Amino acid sequence: MNFLLHCCPVHHVMVLLFTTMVAMEFGQGCTQITTCVPGQPMINCSVVTHDSNSDPPIQITSYVLENIPPNSVIYCLNDSAFFDTPGTVTYAASSDFTINDAINAVLLIRSPNREADDQITGRVTAFDTPDQSEANLQVIIIDVNEFPPEFIAPDVLQHSLRFTEGERPTNSLVGRIQTSDVDIEDSESTVSFRIKGNGGDEFNVTRMTVGPISFSNLLYTYDSPLDRERIAFYQLTIVAVDSISPVMTSNPSLQVNITIDDINDNAPQFMGDHMFFIPEGLEEGVFVGNVSASDPDAGENATITYSIASSTFDREFTIDSTSGILRTSSFYKDLRFADNMRRLTVEVMAEDNGVVPLNNRSVFTVVVQRPVRFTNNIYMFELVENNNPLVTVGNVSASSPDLVSFYYHIESPGSDKFTIDRNTGKITVQESLDRETSPMEMFIIAAVYSNHSDLSSTAIVRIIVIDVNDNSP
């Protein structure tokens, strides 16, 4: 076999490398096509072979990109390829081809489509009267990446899937993905995938081969089993990407929603304040405090029922099983507390409503406090009228039997004319008083526990305004 012209092997990928063609091999008028340029819209790279065992003995093979325009040059004729001593040579071509006599070239009549045919064949006949010679003409169509990959039968991978938390999908397999790409013969091996969306980094698409069959699997790759409390709902967007330049991606993408069903794997957890303050002698049903617990599970697994497991006297409090509100019982109002018995404990159990319920217990402290006591119920002070502002009127005094901090404040009225130091009880007048307008000022003061405002005591303050001779008859 004798090669007259050679170019490098051709693969179906976009980037093509061909050797430069020798200009003398082209017929006159066809020298404008001299090289095979990577990515060039019209590529003509031909190989001519002679084989004495074939009929006819001349084989012309031309490589062209699909979708080149109709009537593109695919081979430049050379008379000496057909005759040893050519004279006046004319040519004819079979269907799909035509001869351009002006440039002595073979033209492909139609624009080739690689997805319809991977090659077009025909014959070229050369006439040198009275002789004639024929050559087989084979046009190999090189694929251009013009179609994106597509998902096949997306119902194979259900759009909405459900798993139970605490498990891993079998062999981590979530579902199977099938794609096709009309540009690529073995698309399964060349298409890759991108996963976006909520929890997308916990999944991967892996190509697997079983015997002669290849397929792509969506796998759960996170280190830990599915956990609804961590992610309850995955919303994945899967995009298929081909491997041919220019890269194309699937549109539309594949949407996969995965719901994680809850199991009762969390016990209720108590939160909030664990200490309440109340006075002694309260009637039945008075609010003590609100016990609070939460459960990160869902549905009945997160519905909590409260109960009292134990308490100091076993029956001084009741609890609402739904809200967790502690109240005094009828037994509480009759209790008399010594100084060393003013801290009561209540152990509360919070239990969820799961099929196999889980519970937790916590101890709460109820401090029984005595109210703040003023030294006097009524405080009397005198102040001469026409006084200067910010003059001290007097001091009030209170004490806590339980040595708990408290503060003073003016309740009503009088806060516009007087102030009281919240720590010392010193009362100060803010403006000049006039006996003729108001001969006596009166208001209420309170001493309030910092940790429980309901345990306050009050006293009355009366200020007699003393007359001065500041008016003419």
Side-chain angles (χ1 to χ4, degrees):
M1 184 179 290
N2 179 25
F3 287 92
L4 296 183
L5 186 63
H6 175 72
C7 69
C8 69
V10 179
H11 193 264
H12 64 256
V13 296
M14 181 66 176
V15 178
L16 306 170
L17 298 175
F18 297 98
T19 57
T20 301
M21 299 181 67
V22 182
M24 68 177 63
E25 296 295 336
F26 295 110
Q28 294 297 319
C30 197
T31 55
Q32 73 274 20
I33 301 176
T34 59
T35 59
C36 294
V37 181
Q40 183 171 300
M42 289 192 302
I43 289 183
N44 180 328
C45 185
S46 301
V47 176
V48 181
T49 62
H50 288 276
D51 188 347
S52 58
N53 296 321
S54 64
D55 183 26
I58 302 174
Q59 175 69 40
I60 301 172
T61 303
S62 182
Y63 299 88
V64 299
L65 290 179
E66 68 172 327
N67 297 333
I68 61 173
N71 296 317
S72 293
V73 174
I74 55 95
Y75 178 65
C76 297
L77 293 164
N78 188 329
D79 297 349
S80 60
F82 292 87
F83 303 103
D84 293 333
T85 55
T88 302
V89 180
T90 59
Y91 295 92
S94 59
S95 60
D96 292 323
F97 303 96
T98 187
I99 303 298
N100 186 325
D101 295 322
I103 61 172
N104 208 34
V106 181
L107 280 58
L108 182 61
I109 295 175
R110 58 186 173 90
S111 177
N113 183 0
R114 173 65 174 72
E115 286 67 51
D117 297 295
D118 59 0
Q119 61 179 291
I120 301 173
T121 59
R123 287 203 173 193
V124 174
T125 304
F127 301 94
D128 188 4
T129 307
D131 300 321
Q132 83 177 42
S133 180
E134 287 191 336
N136 283 327
L137 180 57
Q138 180 185 35
V139 178
I140 305 297
I141 303 170
I142 302 168
D143 185 59
V144 174
N145 194 24
E146 55 190 328
F147 295 98
E150 295 180 347
F151 290 99
I152 301 175
D155 55 316
V156 174
L157 177 65
Q158 297 297 326
H159 284 208
S160 296
L161 304 174
R162 302 189 78 95
F163 292 97
T164 302
E165 72 168 321
E167 68 169 338
R168 293 188 70 93
T170 304
N171 296 324
S172 298
L173 174 64
V174 177
R176 181 166 295 172
I177 298 175
Q178 288 182 295
T179 58
S180 68
D181 191 329
V182 295
D183 288 314
I184 307 172
E185 295 178 1
D186 184 15
S187 60
E188 281 290 344
S189 65
T190 56
V191 172
S192 60
F193 299 89
R194 299 172 186 166
I195 303 178
K196 300 181 291 185
N198 176 41
D201 57 344
E202 298 182 10
F203 296 84
N204 192 16
V205 177
T206 302
R207 184 170 181 261
M208 304 182 70
T209 302
V210 178
I213 302 175
S214 295
F215 46 84
S216 298
N217 284 340
L218 177 62
L219 303 179
Y220 176 70
T221 57
Y222 194 66
D223 292 339
S224 303
L226 294 167
D227 185 359
R228 191 204 67 85
E229 285 71 57
R230 187 174 57 83
I231 298 181
F233 183 74
Y234 293 91
Q235 192 169 24
L236 308 180
T237 299
I238 303 177
V239 179
V241 184
D242 63 26
S243 61
I244 301 177
S245 180
V247 171
M248 303 189 75
T249 59
S250 59
N251 188 15
S253 54
L254 186 62
Q255 302 294 324
V256 181
N257 299 325
I258 304 174
T259 301
I260 309 302
D261 292 328
D262 184 59
I263 63 172
N264 194 21
D265 57 345
N266 293 280
Q269 299 295 321
F270 286 95
M271 54 188 182
D273 197 352
H274 276 52
M275 183 172 288
F276 308 116
F277 299 86
I278 60 173
E280 59 184 328
L282 292 177
E283 295 295 319
E284 178 183 1
V286 176
F287 177 83
V288 175
N290 198 169
V291 173
S292 180
S294 65
D295 192 320
D297 291 320
E300 287 298 304
N301 295 333
T303 303
I304 298 174
T305 300
Y306 298 94
S307 62
I308 294 178
S310 66
S311 64
T312 303
F313 296 103
D314 290 334
R315 51 196 175 119
E316 67 270 35
F317 303 108
T318 62
I319 192 169
D320 187 286
S321 62
T322 302
S323 66
I325 293 177
L326 278 173
R327 298 184 184 277
T328 56
S329 69
S330 59
F331 176 74
Y332 178 82
K333 69 177 182 178
D334 297 324
L335 288 175
R336 296 295 177 263
F337 298 94
D339 289 345
N340 62 345
M341 285 293 295
R342 292 186 173 276
R343 284 181 174 263
L344 307 180
T345 59
V346 182
E347 185 182 28
V348 178
M349 182 174 74
E351 184 174 73
D352 62 35
N353 291 354
V355 176
V356 179
L358 300 176
N359 64 72
N360 211 340
R361 299 186 181 204
S362 188
V363 175
F364 294 81
T365 300
V366 181
V367 179
V368 181
Q369 285 186 321
R370 289 165 287 189
V372 181
R373 295 193 180 103
F374 277 98
T375 305
N376 301 310
N377 292 328
I378 299 176
Y379 289 86
M380 299 290 293
F381 302 105
E382 292 182 348
L383 185 64
V384 177
E385 69 171 332
N386 300 330
N387 59 281
N388 293 322
L390 303 180
V391 172
T392 299
V393 177
N395 278 74
V396 298
S397 178
S399 62
S400 166
D402 300 317
L403 302 178
V404 179
S405 64
F406 63 91
Y407 62 92
Y408 300 98
H409 79 97
I410 297 175
E411 286 196 341
S412 65
S415 59
D416 56 336
K417 294 181 180 181
F418 301 91
T419 60
I420 188 169
D421 188 290
R422 61 182 287 121
N423 297 316
T424 65
K426 181 175 74 173
I427 299 174
T428 303
V429 65
Q430 299 296 301
E431 61 184 54
S432 180
L433 302 181
D434 183 10
R435 181 187 178 283
E436 285 71 41
T437 302
S438 177
M440 184 178 67
E441 301 287 344
M442 185 173 66
F443 51 87
I444 297 173
I445 57 174
V448 183
Y449 280 124
S450 301
N451 59 10
H452 201 290
S453 60
D454 291 341
L455 291 174
S456 64
S457 293
T458 60
I460 297 174
V461 174
R462 291 176 179 172
I463 300 174
I464 304 299
V465 182
I466 300 175
D467 185 50
V468 298
N469 190 15
D470 58 346
N471 292 285
S472 302

